Amino acid sequence: MWTSGRMSNAKSWLGLGVSLYFWGLMDLTTPVLSGTPTRPGRLEAFLSDKPQPHPRTKRSWVWNQFFVLEEYTGTDPLYVGKLHSDMDRGDGSIKYILSGEGAGVVFTIDDTTGDIHAIQRLDREERAQYTLRAQALDRRTGRPMEPESEFIIKIQDINDNEPKFLDGPYVATVPEMSPVGTSVIQVTATDADDPTYGNSARVVYSILQGQPYFSVDSKTGVIRTALMNMDREAKEYYEVIIQAKDMGGQLGGLAGTTTVNITLSDVNDNPPRFPQKHYQMSVLESAPVSSTVGRVFAKDLDEGINAEMKYTIVDGDGADAFDINTDPNFQVGIITVKKPLSFERKKSYTLKVEGANPHLEMRFLNLGPFQDTTTVHISVEDVDEPPVFDPGSYFVEVPEDVAIGTTIQTISAKDPDVTNNSIRYSIDRSSDPGRFFYVDITTGALMTARPLDREEFSWHNITVLAMEMNNPSQVGSVPVTIKVLDVNDNAPEFPRFYEAFVCENAKAGQLIQTVSAVDQDDPRNGQHFYYSLAPEAANNPNFTVRDNQDNTARILTRRSGFRQQEQSVFYLPILISDGGQPVLSSTGTLTIQVCGCDDEGHVLSCSPEAYMLPVSLSRGALIAILACVFVLLVLVLLILSLRRHRKQPYILDDEENIHENIVRYDDEGGGEEDTEAFDIAAMWNPREAQAAGAPKTRQDMLPEIESLSRYVPQTCAVSSTVHSYVLAKLYEADMDLWAPPFDSLQTYMFEGDGSVAGSLSSLQSATSDSEQSFDFLTDWGPRFRKLAELYGASEGPAPLW
């Protein structure tokens, strides 16, 4: 049978386990240190958990494991125990073999004595036990002397591991002002030692840093608040150090620490307060609606949702002129313009602004009130504003036959500023390119400058400008819509050229054509035309007109039997009248050809060529003859034009009086000396404008007309009669391609170094390379003798002066 023995690491146990070699003679009554002996017998009985039956009544010991302490630090191999077989006589004939976990690496066995040693340092935290197998063999034959048996070597724990916080460092948050004992976080330390053996793994917690603000439960590791009324605004972050010590906290135990970073979270325990009780702001009166005036700020020591602010205007005379909104990012109150401002109407406003927390906590209401107020004074600054029209738009209806110069509307604008500057009116010419209208520069009277024609332009949309005299950059504008009302000023007429035919065999009363008319006018009750023969054709024996009373008329024959040889074409004048006031009429001509027809009235031939041209001369030949005549006329005109433009020499008749050819120019394009241009008396007699007779022919050139009324200040108003007369004359001049208006602006480019044309002086012409000949001056008579001597070629010596 197998027996075993063990010696402790501390050498406090002496000796080896005693093996009883006397089979069946005695029982082992004292346990051996390294194992539990059993009754002498077989190996499997020794290592089995079940006691083997035997005939004698004895104590049965089952020994199946060894114990060895960890962390042996000696220099010699650690003795673990001894294996011994009853078959071993001590002569070395038995060989012991060890196999299993760690055999040969961690544990070795003396194959002769059966002593087991540990040759490596053992660590229970790495491996708590090893399972091995032992076998006894005959050294000579190798035959097993005992059956192979399994046993366990357990590693006994010592306190060699300190507690560790595997999840540290910790981060925790607790609301500020929390009651004492509020749980913050639980920390846990882990000890790798055996918790079932001694106190090596019994951990006790304590706080090393963080008092008196926090405490820790010694058994559970729960950290709690220990001080009341902890204020985040005073101190927000805390660093707490927790210690865990094994051996129940006794002296000699191992310890580990961890850090817990605790943050106080915010609660709404601070009411908002304005740092300023009075704000002074200013805004331009021209500031647009929704523009920013200024900002107010109520300071709140809280943060996040607890610092959110809502600003409102609770009082003051500016509640209807200004508004306030909260900036969600910076929690400031933004004051904006609510409606247009006017310095002239009100120069200052006062607002009472309240800032309040919308999110309150009931347990902190005693720290309130959680709102505050401040006063805001806003001054409105004056700016130079453009003139303002009242009303803001005009609608005018005017008949199209209104006389030129008639005032159709008076436009009114005023300077909204306190200075009330003078205003000058003008028309934006881009809105009135046809220049149909004119506005008086000082009174704002809108007048017609050209005849209106509804059939050409039925609507006019113009813009009238108002400019401050002292500041031309300030310009206001107003739209003026002008509707031209219809006047019966257009006679009805045929919409196209009417050409009809009548058969030679036509009978009296036969319909040959139905005609209609058009009128450019647009009467309210619609058009109604009346048709009749023109007075000169009232007794026409051939045709008559029948009015259909539906704006059409029928042309009927009065007789029968027409002959193409007698008259091939008839021209019938038809009088067309409208129903307007006054009644207008026109005469349209209906061309009627006489045609040859068959019995059913179908036209066979209407051409009068056989009766008008010789047989041998066709229409194509006639066209060719006319083309040749036209070409000859063109050649003759070309020859005459070339002769006219041929350069002629300066040949003068000696008997001709030269001074009679000098033309005197003494007019300035419309001054009082311009007697051939107009009669200045007409300017002083307005009735002259209505006098009958053709206007005088103007002999000066047509200048470009540009109104200077908007740039030239006027101090007095001109009567409407003079305005009407001037506008009528201006229109008359515009229609006359050869005459400028009474007052024309002539523009002359200056000469000299800066001129495009250069210098026009003849003082330096003697040095010029000009090849022009002045010899003809000698033929101009004694008056030009001196010029001839200076510039002409001289055959004799130069005279002495």
Side-chain angles (χ1 to χ4, degrees):
M1 61 171 286
W2 288 98
T3 59
S4 63
R6 182 173 183 261
M7 180 180 292
S8 69
N9 293 334
K11 304 297 183 179
S12 59
W13 297 85
L14 301 177
L16 302 173
V18 178
S19 299
L20 299 181
Y21 300 105
F22 303 97
W23 177 265
L25 295 181
M26 60 177 296
D27 291 331
L28 185 63
T29 59
T30 303
V32 183
L33 172 67
S34 60
T36 301
T38 182
R39 57 183 287 272
R42 302 176 59 183
L43 180 62
E44 57 270 20
F46 168 68
L47 297 178
S48 175
D49 290 339
K50 297 181 180 181
Q52 298 295 327
H54 51 83
R56 293 175 298 178
T57 304
K58 298 180 180 179
R59 285 198 304 173
S60 178
W61 296 89
V62 178
W63 187 97
N64 60 359
Q65 60 185 3
F66 294 97
F67 294 92
V68 60
L69 292 176
E70 65 172 336
E71 303 293 344
Y72 171 70
T73 58
T75 58
D76 297 331
L78 176 64
Y79 181 77
V80 177
K82 183 181 181 66
L83 296 178
H84 189 75
S85 174
D86 292 343
M87 306 295 293
D88 188 358
R89 303 301 179 184
D91 55 0
S93 60
I94 301 299
K95 181 180 179 180
Y96 297 98
I97 297 176
L98 187 66
S99 62
E101 298 175 345
V105 178
V106 179
F107 302 100
T108 60
I109 188 171
D110 188 326
D111 61 353
T112 301
T113 63
D115 294 333
I116 301 175
H117 291 82
I119 60 176
Q120 286 188 5
R121 181 178 178 180
L122 301 176
D123 187 356
R124 190 201 67 83
E125 286 71 38
E126 292 182 2
R127 193 177 187 114
Q129 65 181 18
Y130 294 86
T131 301
L132 297 100
R133 294 182 298 277
Q135 192 173 20
L137 303 177
D138 190 313
R139 189 179 294 274
R140 291 178 302 172
T141 63
R143 183 176 60 83
M145 302 298 294
E146 293 282 354
E148 185 180 54
S149 183
E150 185 178 88
F151 64 97
I152 295 174
I153 299 178
K154 285 191 174 183
I155 311 300
Q156 277 189 326
D157 182 55
I158 63 173
N159 189 20
D160 61 342
N161 292 277
E162 73 278 2
K164 294 182 180 181
F165 294 92
L166 302 181
D167 297 329
Y170 294 86
V171 177
T173 302
V174 62
E176 63 173 331
M177 311 297 289
S178 295
V180 175
T182 301
S183 176
V184 180
I185 193 174
Q186 182 178 13
V187 296
T188 302
T190 302
D191 196 320
D193 294 326
D194 190 357
T196 63
Y197 181 77
N199 294 328
S200 299
R202 191 165 71 87
V203 177
V204 174
Y205 299 95
S206 62
I207 183 168
L208 301 182
Q209 177 180 314
Q211 294 176 331
Y213 306 104
F214 300 95
S215 64
V216 64
D217 188 289
S218 61
K219 294 182 179 179
T220 62
V222 176
I223 300 175
R224 303 179 185 274
T225 58
L227 190 66
M228 64 183 304
N229 297 332
M230 286 192 294
D231 192 0
R232 183 197 67 84
E233 289 72 32
K235 185 175 181 180
E236 184 176 4
Y237 301 102
Y238 295 87
E239 185 178 74
V240 179
I241 298 178
I242 301 297
Q243 174 184 267
K245 191 174 184 180
D246 59 12
M247 300 296 294
Q250 298 177 2
L251 185 65
L254 302 179
T257 61
T258 188
T259 300
V260 182
N261 296 310
I262 301 176
T263 303
L264 296 183
S265 60
D266 185 63
V267 297
N268 193 7
D269 60 337
N270 292 278
R273 292 292 179 262
F274 283 101
Q276 296 178 234
K277 288 301 180 182
H278 297 278
Y279 287 85
Q280 185 66 42
M281 302 178 183
S282 61
V283 60
L284 296 176
E285 64 172 333
S286 60
V289 175
S290 300
S291 60
T292 300
V293 178
R295 292 172 172 81
V296 296
F297 175 62
K299 188 176 181 181
D300 193 330
L301 298 178
D302 298 321
E303 64 179 8
I305 190 174
N306 299 313
E308 288 186 4
M309 203 69 58
K310 181 180 181 181
Y311 296 91
T312 54
I313 299 175
V314 295
D315 199 3
D317 59 357
D320 59 340
F322 299 94
D323 200 358
I324 189 168
N325 300 295
T326 303
D327 186 338
N329 297 321
F330 301 99
Q331 300 301 322
V332 297
I334 303 175
I335 300 176
T336 57
V337 178
K338 188 176 182 180
K339 69 177 184 179
L341 305 175
S342 174
F343 173 82
E344 293 73 26
R345 187 171 62 249
K346 190 173 178 60
K347 298 179 175 58
S348 65
Y349 295 88
T350 300
L351 303 177
K352 187 175 182 181
V353 177
E354 179 187 81
N357 289 140
H359 306 286
L360 301 178
E361 294 191 30
M362 301 302 297
R363 61 192 181 105
F364 298 120
L365 290 180
N366 61 321
L367 302 177
F370 284 82
Q371 68 267 352
D372 195 15
T373 59
T374 186
T375 302
V376 181
H377 300 282
I378 303 176
S379 300
V380 180
E381 296 182 358
D382 187 29
V383 296
D384 193 3
E385 299 174 282
V388 177
F389 288 89
D390 186 21
S393 62
Y394 289 88
F395 176 76
V396 183
E397 291 183 337
V398 57
E400 60 178 325
D401 61 348
V402 65
I404 295 177
T406 302
T407 300
I408 61 175
Q409 180 71 45
T410 299
I411 310 299
S412 177
K414 65 178 182 178
D415 184 6
D417 299 319
V418 177
T419 56
N420 194 17
N421 293 323
S422 299
I423 294 175
R424 295 295 179 261
Y425 299 93
S426 62
I427 295 178
D428 185 356
R429 286 306 172 191
S430 62
S431 65
D432 184 26
R435 301 186 180 235
F436 288 95
F437 302 96
Y438 170 82
V439 65
D440 186 87
I441 192 171
T442 57
T443 65
L446 183 62
M447 295 172 281
T448 56
R450 291 182 57 187
L452 302 180
D453 187 1
R454 188 204 64 85
E455 288 69 41
E456 183 181 4
F457 299 106
S458 59
W459 292 87
H460 294 271
N461 296 295
I462 66 173
T463 301
V464 177
L465 307 177
M467 178 187 69
E468 290 185 14
M469 282 295 298
N470 297 339
N471 188 359
S473 63
Q474 296 298 328
V475 180
S477 63
V478 64
V480 180
T481 302
I482 302 172
K483 180 181 180 181
V484 182
L485 301 179
D486 184 50
V487 174
N488 191 29
D489 58 347
N490 291 278
E493 58 186 9
F494 286 145
R496 57 185 177 85
F497 173 72
Y498 280 107
E499 185 177 12
F501 71 91
V502 60
C503 294
E504 291 181 320
N505 55 0
K507 297 179 181 180
Q510 183 174 341
L511 175 66
I512 62 172
Q513 181 69 44
T514 299
V515 295
S516 63
V518 295
D519 193 334
Q520 295 183 9
D521 295 322
D522 187 16
R524 294 183 178 179
N525 299 326
Q527 297 285 3
H528 188 76
F529 303 133
Y530 302 93
Y531 300 88
S532 63
L533 289 176
E536 61 270 21
N539 299 320
N540 189 301
N542 301 311
F543 305 97
T544 185
V545 175
R546 297 287 178 86
D547 196 331
N548 295 328
Q549 300 299 320
D550 60 355
N551 292 340
T552 63
R554 294 173 295 166
I555 312 301
L556 306 174
T557 59
R558 274 190 173 182
R559 64 181 179 86
S560 61
F562 294 88
R563 295 185 60 83
Q564 196 174 22
Q565 292 81 359
E566 295 179 357
Q567 187 174 349
S568 60
V569 179
F570 293 91
Y571 298 97
L572 183 65
I574 301 175
L575 181 65
I576 312 170
S577 303
D578 58 19
Q581 292 295 331
V583 177
L584 298 180
S585 61
S586 66
T587 301
T589 301
L590 174 64
T591 301
I592 304 173
Q593 292 187 8
V594 179
C595 302
C597 305
D598 55 16
D599 295 337
E600 297 180 357
H602 298 139
V603 177
L604 298 178
S605 174
C606 294
S607 175
E609 187 179 55
Y611 304 97
M612 297 178 62
L613 298 177
V615 177
S616 59
L617 185 62
S618 64
R619 179 175 295 179
L622 180 60
I623 294 175
I625 293 173
L626 292 177
C628 293
V629 173
F630 177 74
V631 172
L632 291 176
L633 289 175
V634 171
L635 291 177
V636 170
L637 292 176
L638 181 60
I639 294 172
L640 292 177
S641 177
L642 292 175
R643 287 185 178 182
R644 180 178 300 178
H645 289 84
R646 183 176 300 173
K647 187 175 181 181
Q648 299 294 335
Y650 291 98
I651 301 176
L652 297 177
D653 191 356
D654 294 339
E655 298 179 357
E656 185 180 5
N657 192 349
I658 301 300
H659 76 278
E660 294 179 356
N661 294 329
I662 297 177
V663 181
R664 179 173 177 267
Y665 297 93
D666 58 356
D667 70 280
E668 297 180 357
E672 294 183 0
E673 296 297 329
D674 188 5
T675 57
E676 293 184 357
F678 66 93
D679 187 0
I680 193 63
M683 293 294 293
W684 305 104
N685 186 6
R687 296 182 178 86
E688 183 76 14
Q690 283 78 21
K696 296 181 66 176
T697 304
R698 309 285 291 278
Q699 296 182 3
D700 46 358
M701 296 180 63
L702 176 66
E704 294 183 1
I705 301 171
E706 179 65 28
S707 175
L708 300 178
S709 62
R710 63 182 298 180
Y711 304 107
V712 181
Q714 299 181 6
T715 57
C716 61
V718 183
S719 66
S720 59
T721 306
V722 176
H723 266 307
S724 302
Y725 171 75
V726 172
L727 291 174
K729 285 297 183 181
L730 179 61
Y731 175 71
E732 178 184 324
D734 288 340
M735 297 297 101
D736 188 355
L737 301 179
W738 303 103
F742 296 134
D743 296 325
S744 59
L745 175 64
Q746 303 292 344
T747 304
Y748 300 93
M749 293 297 293
F750 62 91
E751 67 171 13
D753 295 336
S755 173
V756 178
S759 177
L760 303 179
S761 175
S762 61
L763 296 178
Q764 298 179 356
S765 60
T767 61
S768 172
D769 296 333
S770 175
E771 298 180 358
Q772 184 176 358
S773 174
F774 295 93
D775 293 342
F776 61 89
L777 294 176
T778 57
D779 299 332
W780 283 20
R783 292 180 179 273
F784 296 90
R785 184 177 303 165
K786 183 61 65 177
L787 291 176
E789 291 175 355
L790 290 174
Y791 295 95
S794 179
E795 296 179 358
L800 297 177
W801 290 58

